[in-house]
Amino acid sequence: MSKTQFMTLARHIIEGEKRHPEATGELSRLLSDLSLAAKVISLEVNKAGLVDILGYTGDNNVHGEKVKKLDVFAHNILIRAMDHGGHFCAMVSEEEEEIIHIPAKHKIGKYVLLFDPLDGSSNIDVNNSIGTIFSIYKRITPDDKPGTHEDLLQKGIKQVAAGYVLYGSSTILVYTTGEGVYGFTLDPSFGEFLLSHDDIKIPKKSRIYSINEGNYLYWHSGLKKYIKYLQEEDEKTDRPYSSRYVGSMVADIHRNLIYGGIFMYPSDHRHPKGKLRLMYECNPMSFIVEVAGGRASDGEQRIMEIQPTSLHERTPLFIGSEEDVKMVEQFIIQELVK
Ligand code: P6P
């Protein structure tokens, strides 16, 4: 990674605006507001072990999963940070079944925000990395009215911005608006995100694969054959690959984005649509990885071409280094055509 000059996130966004005179600065302001929420969540995540914020609230989220207090905290912080800036006409969170509307007292904006406030939350209590994921679209229904499902259920190719915040050994915010992928590491001493990863490009081929092998019995045959292929010894094709799996999507995909690698959460005999959510997990991560030169599909079609039909729908996901994703698609399709 090239040595970067002292560039804050705010300044980087403004520099980006200068390249687009038609830009209104709206997207820049909302990205800055998002980074403020990220700083607050990061502070709480980093001291979670010290205050009584660990453990379950005893409530369940919309998917019947036990909600940890930090999930709820992150959800609330993002709503409070983003609902009054005049940027959005609607929001969607993994933690809420329905559309989150902008309070009547606030100005309605021209974007929609979909987010997973704290992905990988089962890792909170064991100090593994967790993350926030966000996806932004321009509304398509007339301005100044509350946003609708039509504004939210757009294909991933329509995203205007996407990003994630990884709360790990350090806190890094990675985002794209379609031209380059940029990483900013939080300097907690003065609370600024500084450019640390300038124009990230994912290696075209890797030696790392990430998947929960505990589900092997339930995988479809094409995937079983692919994983066995990766485990064979062949120097010419850098096999066997190494297996790396944190169980936190943001951590796994971020590592693969920097080092190269393929992350897989497939459909299987128990989960026909896989586990991960299309709108606020797979689409934003796919936007980032594709802009960085990688590939993201459901095994047959590009993730960002999927026409969504519901806010919380799931999709199988194969994402990462382009050649590796193409390879697994071949194994899957070969089995389908048999
Ligand atoms: P499994 C975390 O709960 C999550 O949603 C993703 O962050 C992660 O990639 C996946 O689930 C892990 O699921 O079934 O392997 O534990």
Side-chain angles (χ1 to χ4, degrees), residues 39-273:
K39 291 176 193 173
V40 175
I41 296 168
S42 176
L43 198 61
E44 215 58 32
V45 166
N46 290 334
K47 66 182 184 185
L50 305 173
V51 296
D52 177 30
I53 200 160
L54 293 179
Y56 292 92
T57 60
D59 305 321
N60 286 348
N61 67 14
V62 294
H63 316 294
E65 295 156 351
K66 279 234 177 281
V67 178
K68 287 189 175 295
K69 288 179 182 172
L70 221 42
D71 271 352
V72 175
F73 174 83
H75 168 82
N76 293 337
I77 286 294
L78 281 158
I79 300 286
R80 281 170 44 199
M82 306 312 289
D83 72 353
H84 60 277
H87 312 306
F88 299 111
C89 61
M91 294 187 276
V92 167
S93 165
E94 180 180 33
E95 299 301 333
E96 279 202 33
E97 179 81 21
E98 295 307 323
I99 296 176
I100 300 163
H101 286 293
I102 305 304
K105 62 186 174 187
H106 297 319
K107 175 175 170 288
I108 283 189
K110 62 181 181 185
Y111 295 98
V112 293
L113 171 68
L114 301 100
F115 63 92
D116 184 351
L118 212 56
D119 177 77
S121 53
S122 53
N123 289 287
I124 293 173
D125 289 350
V126 290
N127 227 32
N128 272 348
S129 302
I130 50 184
T132 297
I133 313 171
F134 61 89
S135 174
I136 297 167
Y137 296 79
K138 259 198 182 151
R139 71 178 304 166
I140 50 179
T141 57
D143 283 0
D144 74 27
K145 298 275 188 302
T148 67
H149 279 88
E150 191 184 352
D151 295 305
L152 291 157
L153 294 175
Q154 299 184 53
K155 288 184 178 181
I157 50 175
K158 296 291 189 185
Q159 291 174 100
V160 294
Y164 58 81
V165 185
L166 178 60
Y167 311 99
S169 50
S170 60
T171 293
I172 183 168
L173 184 151
V174 175
Y175 87 98
T176 187
T177 57
E179 290 175 7
V181 176
Y182 299 92
F184 296 80
T185 299
L186 182 63
D187 183 328
S189 63
F190 56 97
E192 275 292 353
F193 278 106
L194 299 179
L195 183 65
S196 53
H197 297 71
D198 191 7
D199 195 16
I200 300 171
K201 292 297 176 198
I202 186 171
K204 287 295 179 188
K205 190 181 175 310
S206 74
R207 294 205 56 227
I208 292 174
Y209 75 96
S210 309
I211 191 168
N212 182 343
E213 305 214 34
N215 296 326
Y216 178 82
L217 273 183
Y218 311 110
W219 291 346
H220 299 301
S221 56
L223 179 61
K224 286 183 177 176
K225 288 180 178 172
Y226 174 66
I227 299 299
K228 287 303 163 206
Y229 167 81
L230 294 183
Q231 293 168 344
E232 290 166 354
E233 189 173 39
D234 176 42
E235 211 172 305
K236 286 196 313 301
T237 52
D238 292 327
R239 289 179 290 152
Y241 277 29
S242 295
S243 172
R244 294 285 183 275
Y245 192 72
V246 176
S248 179
M249 176 192 198
V250 176
D252 280 315
I253 294 181
H254 179 72
R255 179 201 53 247
N256 293 355
L257 182 68
I258 304 300
Y259 288 160
I262 178 169
F263 172 89
M264 296 167 271
Y265 209 104
S267 62
D268 63 29
H269 294 301
R270 292 186 305 176
H271 305 106
K273 296 291 278 178

